[in-house]
Short mmCIF file of all heavy atoms in Angstrom, two decimals:
data_model
loop_
_atom_site.label_atom_id
_atom_site.label_comp_id
_atom_site.label_asym_id
_atom_site.label_seq_id
_atom_site.Cartn_x
_atom_site.Cartn_y
_atom_site.Cartn_z
N HIS M 701 -12.78 -24.65 26.50
CA HIS M 701 -13.59 -24.41 27.66
C HIS M 701 -12.83 -24.74 28.95
O HIS M 701 -13.45 -24.63 30.03
CB HIS M 701 -14.84 -25.26 27.55
CG HIS M 701 -15.77 -24.90 26.47
ND1 HIS M 701 -16.41 -23.74 26.28
CD2 HIS M 701 -16.05 -25.54 25.20
CE1 HIS M 701 -17.12 -23.67 25.16
NE2 HIS M 701 -16.98 -24.80 24.57
N LYS M 702 -11.61 -25.14 28.79
CA LYS M 702 -10.93 -25.49 30.11
C LYS M 702 -10.46 -24.30 30.83
O LYS M 702 -9.84 -23.36 30.27
CB LYS M 702 -9.68 -26.45 29.81
CG LYS M 702 -9.03 -26.89 31.11
CD LYS M 702 -7.77 -27.65 30.71
CE LYS M 702 -7.01 -28.05 32.01
NZ LYS M 702 -7.78 -28.67 33.03
N THR M 703 -10.77 -24.12 32.13
CA THR M 703 -10.41 -22.95 32.80
C THR M 703 -9.63 -23.41 34.17
O THR M 703 -9.15 -22.42 34.75
CB THR M 703 -11.62 -22.20 33.24
OG1 THR M 703 -12.56 -23.04 33.90
CG2 THR M 703 -12.22 -21.48 32.03
N LEU M 704 -9.52 -24.64 34.45
CA LEU M 704 -8.69 -24.89 35.68
C LEU M 704 -7.19 -24.82 35.41
O LEU M 704 -6.60 -25.09 34.38
CB LEU M 704 -8.98 -26.41 35.95
CG LEU M 704 -8.02 -27.07 36.91
CD1 LEU M 704 -8.24 -26.41 38.37
CD2 LEU M 704 -8.22 -28.45 37.14
N TYR M 705 -6.57 -24.03 36.35
CA TYR M 705 -5.11 -23.90 36.19
C TYR M 705 -4.43 -24.08 37.51
O TYR M 705 -3.64 -24.87 37.81
CB TYR M 705 -4.79 -22.60 35.50
CG TYR M 705 -3.48 -22.07 35.86
CD1 TYR M 705 -2.19 -22.83 35.62
CD2 TYR M 705 -3.15 -20.88 36.46
CE1 TYR M 705 -0.93 -22.44 35.89
CE2 TYR M 705 -1.87 -20.34 36.65
CZ TYR M 705 -0.82 -21.21 36.46
OH TYR M 705 0.42 -20.69 36.79
N TYR M 706 -4.90 -23.13 38.41
CA TYR M 706 -4.09 -22.96 39.76
C TYR M 706 -4.54 -24.01 40.73
O TYR M 706 -3.80 -24.62 41.53
CB TYR M 706 -4.27 -21.60 40.29
CG TYR M 706 -3.31 -21.22 41.46
CD1 TYR M 706 -2.11 -20.94 41.25
CD2 TYR M 706 -3.95 -21.33 42.77
CE1 TYR M 706 -1.36 -20.59 42.38
CE2 TYR M 706 -3.16 -21.05 43.81
CZ TYR M 706 -1.78 -20.62 43.65
OH TYR M 706 -0.99 -20.44 44.76
N TYR M 707 -5.83 -24.46 40.81
CA TYR M 707 -6.44 -25.16 41.95
C TYR M 707 -6.51 -26.65 41.45
O TYR M 707 -7.53 -26.97 41.01
CB TYR M 707 -7.83 -24.52 42.17
CG TYR M 707 -8.32 -24.96 43.55
CD1 TYR M 707 -7.49 -24.78 44.81
CD2 TYR M 707 -9.55 -25.53 43.75
CE1 TYR M 707 -7.97 -25.14 46.02
CE2 TYR M 707 -10.04 -25.72 44.99
CZ TYR M 707 -9.40 -25.59 46.11
OH TYR M 707 -9.67 -25.93 47.32
N VAL M 708 -5.41 -27.30 41.57
CA VAL M 708 -5.35 -28.69 41.11
C VAL M 708 -5.48 -29.73 42.28
O VAL M 708 -5.54 -30.91 42.00
CB VAL M 708 -4.07 -28.96 40.32
CG1 VAL M 708 -4.00 -27.98 39.08
CG2 VAL M 708 -2.76 -28.67 41.23
N ASP M 709 -5.48 -29.28 43.51
CA ASP M 709 -5.55 -30.16 44.58
C ASP M 709 -6.73 -31.21 44.56
O ASP M 709 -6.46 -32.35 44.89
CB ASP M 709 -5.64 -29.45 45.89
CG ASP M 709 -4.32 -28.63 46.25
OD1 ASP M 709 -3.57 -28.34 45.30
OD2 ASP M 709 -4.10 -28.36 47.43
N PRO M 710 -7.82 -30.82 44.21
CA PRO M 710 -9.02 -31.88 44.23
C PRO M 710 -8.98 -32.91 43.10
O PRO M 710 -9.94 -33.65 43.06
CB PRO M 710 -10.28 -31.02 44.07
CG PRO M 710 -9.78 -29.54 44.26
CD PRO M 710 -8.38 -29.50 43.86
N PHE M 711 -8.01 -32.97 42.28
CA PHE M 711 -7.98 -33.75 41.18
C PHE M 711 -6.90 -34.84 41.08
O PHE M 711 -5.87 -34.55 41.56
CB PHE M 711 -7.84 -32.90 39.83
CG PHE M 711 -9.11 -32.06 39.68
CD1 PHE M 711 -9.19 -30.77 40.20
CD2 PHE M 711 -10.24 -32.51 38.87
CE1 PHE M 711 -10.24 -29.97 39.98
CE2 PHE M 711 -11.24 -31.69 38.70
CZ PHE M 711 -11.32 -30.44 39.21
N LEU M 712 -7.21 -35.96 40.48
CA LEU M 712 -6.22 -36.91 40.13
C LEU M 712 -6.04 -36.89 38.58
O LEU M 712 -7.02 -36.61 37.85
CB LEU M 712 -6.64 -38.37 40.53
CG LEU M 712 -6.80 -38.69 42.02
CD1 LEU M 712 -7.45 -40.02 42.22
CD2 LEU M 712 -5.50 -38.65 42.62
N PHE M 713 -4.83 -36.99 38.20
CA PHE M 713 -4.39 -36.89 36.80
C PHE M 713 -3.80 -38.19 36.28
O PHE M 713 -3.04 -38.87 36.93
CB PHE M 713 -3.38 -35.84 36.42
CG PHE M 713 -3.91 -34.39 36.77
CD1 PHE M 713 -3.97 -33.93 38.05
CD2 PHE M 713 -4.46 -33.67 35.85
CE1 PHE M 713 -4.36 -32.67 38.45
CE2 PHE M 713 -4.75 -32.26 36.13
CZ PHE M 713 -4.83 -31.87 37.38
N TYR M 714 -4.35 -38.68 35.20
CA TYR M 714 -3.92 -40.06 34.68
C TYR M 714 -3.29 -39.76 33.23
O TYR M 714 -4.02 -39.32 32.31
CB TYR M 714 -5.13 -41.00 34.49
CG TYR M 714 -5.71 -41.30 35.79
CD1 TYR M 714 -6.68 -40.62 36.34
CD2 TYR M 714 -5.24 -42.49 36.57
CE1 TYR M 714 -7.27 -40.89 37.63
CE2 TYR M 714 -5.76 -42.76 37.80
CZ TYR M 714 -6.80 -42.06 38.33
OH TYR M 714 -7.19 -42.48 39.54
N ILE M 715 -1.97 -39.97 33.21
CA ILE M 715 -1.23 -39.55 32.12
C ILE M 715 -0.97 -40.85 31.32
O ILE M 715 -0.38 -41.79 31.72
CB ILE M 715 0.16 -39.02 32.47
CG1 ILE M 715 -0.01 -37.95 33.65
CG2 ILE M 715 0.87 -38.28 31.35
CD1 ILE M 715 -0.84 -36.66 33.19
N MET M 716 -1.17 -40.79 29.97
CA MET M 716 -0.88 -41.81 28.98
C MET M 716 0.42 -41.57 28.35
O MET M 716 0.60 -40.44 27.80
CB MET M 716 -1.89 -42.19 27.97
CG MET M 716 -1.67 -43.17 27.07
SD MET M 716 -3.05 -43.80 26.01
CE MET M 716 -3.40 -42.21 25.13
N ALA M 717 1.38 -42.40 28.40
CA ALA M 717 2.66 -42.17 27.79
C ALA M 717 3.14 -43.28 26.96
O ALA M 717 2.71 -44.44 27.03
CB ALA M 717 3.69 -41.92 28.91
N LYS M 718 3.96 -42.90 25.92
CA LYS M 718 4.57 -43.91 25.09
C LYS M 718 6.08 -44.18 25.44
O LYS M 718 6.83 -43.23 25.37
CB LYS M 718 4.38 -43.59 23.57
CG LYS M 718 4.70 -44.63 22.54
CD LYS M 718 4.35 -44.06 21.12
CE LYS M 718 4.53 -45.22 20.15
NZ LYS M 718 4.13 -44.69 18.71
N ARG M 719 6.41 -45.37 25.65
CA ARG M 719 7.79 -45.67 26.14
C ARG M 719 8.75 -45.97 24.93
O ARG M 719 8.29 -46.59 23.90
CB ARG M 719 7.79 -46.95 27.08
CG ARG M 719 6.97 -46.75 28.33
CD ARG M 719 7.24 -47.85 29.24
NE ARG M 719 7.25 -49.19 28.64
CZ ARG M 719 6.17 -49.90 28.36
NH1 ARG M 719 5.02 -49.46 28.62
NH2 ARG M 719 6.37 -51.03 27.70
N ASP M 720 9.92 -45.53 25.11
CA ASP M 720 10.99 -45.94 24.17
C ASP M 720 12.30 -45.82 24.92
O ASP M 720 12.25 -45.74 26.20
CB ASP M 720 11.16 -44.97 22.92
CG ASP M 720 11.31 -43.43 23.25
OD1 ASP M 720 11.76 -43.26 24.33
OD2 ASP M 720 11.06 -42.64 22.41
N ASP M 721 13.44 -45.94 24.32
CA ASP M 721 14.71 -45.99 24.99
C ASP M 721 15.17 -44.72 25.63
O ASP M 721 16.00 -44.59 26.53
CB ASP M 721 15.81 -46.46 24.07
CG ASP M 721 15.85 -45.50 22.80
OD1 ASP M 721 15.01 -44.68 22.62
OD2 ASP M 721 16.90 -45.66 22.12
N ARG M 722 14.46 -43.63 25.30
CA ARG M 722 14.77 -42.24 26.00
C ARG M 722 13.86 -41.93 27.15
O ARG M 722 14.06 -41.06 27.93
CB ARG M 722 14.58 -41.19 24.90
CG ARG M 722 15.67 -41.33 23.87
CD ARG M 722 15.73 -40.14 22.89
NE ARG M 722 14.41 -39.88 22.22
CZ ARG M 722 13.60 -38.90 22.54
NH1 ARG M 722 13.93 -37.95 23.37
NH2 ARG M 722 12.52 -38.68 21.82
N GLY M 723 12.72 -42.68 27.34
CA GLY M 723 11.80 -42.49 28.40
C GLY M 723 10.31 -42.57 28.01
O GLY M 723 10.07 -43.22 26.94
N CYS M 724 9.52 -42.02 28.81
CA CYS M 724 7.99 -42.14 28.54
C CYS M 724 7.48 -40.82 28.20
O CYS M 724 7.55 -39.78 28.90
CB CYS M 724 7.39 -42.59 29.87
SG CYS M 724 7.76 -44.25 30.41
N HIS M 725 7.11 -40.73 26.92
CA HIS M 725 6.63 -39.46 26.29
C HIS M 725 5.18 -39.34 26.38
O HIS M 725 4.38 -40.12 26.03
CB HIS M 725 7.02 -39.36 24.85
CG HIS M 725 8.48 -39.74 24.55
ND1 HIS M 725 9.53 -38.80 24.74
CD2 HIS M 725 9.10 -40.82 24.41
CE1 HIS M 725 10.74 -39.36 24.42
NE2 HIS M 725 10.45 -40.66 24.26
N ILE M 726 4.61 -38.20 26.92
CA ILE M 726 3.27 -37.97 27.19
C ILE M 726 2.57 -37.88 25.89
O ILE M 726 2.89 -37.26 24.86
CB ILE M 726 2.94 -36.69 28.00
CG1 ILE M 726 1.53 -36.43 28.22
CG2 ILE M 726 3.69 -35.38 27.34
CD1 ILE M 726 1.14 -35.40 29.17
N ILE M 727 1.35 -38.67 25.78
CA ILE M 727 0.58 -38.75 24.65
C ILE M 727 -0.80 -37.91 24.99
O ILE M 727 -1.26 -37.15 24.04
CB ILE M 727 0.15 -40.16 24.32
CG1 ILE M 727 1.33 -41.01 23.91
CG2 ILE M 727 -0.95 -40.18 23.18
CD1 ILE M 727 1.09 -42.48 23.64
N GLY M 728 -1.34 -38.05 26.15
CA GLY M 728 -2.51 -37.36 26.47
C GLY M 728 -2.82 -37.72 27.94
O GLY M 728 -1.99 -38.30 28.64
N TYR M 729 -3.94 -37.22 28.51
CA TYR M 729 -4.21 -37.43 29.76
C TYR M 729 -5.72 -37.15 30.09
O TYR M 729 -6.40 -36.60 29.10
CB TYR M 729 -3.54 -36.44 30.74
CG TYR M 729 -4.12 -35.06 30.82
CD1 TYR M 729 -4.84 -34.75 32.01
CD2 TYR M 729 -3.95 -34.20 29.93
CE1 TYR M 729 -5.40 -33.55 32.12
CE2 TYR M 729 -4.58 -32.92 30.00
CZ TYR M 729 -5.31 -32.51 31.09
OH TYR M 729 -6.01 -31.38 31.23
N PHE M 730 -6.29 -37.65 31.22
CA PHE M 730 -7.51 -37.20 31.60
C PHE M 730 -7.51 -37.00 33.17
O PHE M 730 -6.64 -37.46 33.83
CB PHE M 730 -8.60 -38.15 31.28
CG PHE M 730 -8.66 -39.44 31.96
CD1 PHE M 730 -9.28 -39.64 33.33
CD2 PHE M 730 -7.99 -40.53 31.48
CE1 PHE M 730 -9.22 -40.80 33.92
CE2 PHE M 730 -7.94 -41.75 32.09
CZ PHE M 730 -8.49 -41.97 33.36
N SER M 731 -8.33 -36.15 33.66
CA SER M 731 -8.36 -35.83 35.03
C SER M 731 -9.75 -36.20 35.66
O SER M 731 -10.85 -36.28 34.87
CB SER M 731 -8.08 -34.35 35.34
OG SER M 731 -9.00 -33.62 34.72
#
Side-chain angles (χ1 to χ4, degrees):
H701 297 293
K702 181 177 177 58
T703 50
L704 169 68
Y705 158 55
Y706 188 81
Y707 200 49
V708 296
D709 291 25
F711 293 89
L712 294 170
F713 295 81
Y714 295 90
I715 315 297
M716 180 169 62
K718 190 173 184 178
R719 300 190 318 276
D720 59 17
D721 55 350
R722 295 188 298 113
C724 296
H725 310 271
I726 179 173
I727 296 174
Y729 84 101
F730 69 88
S731 61

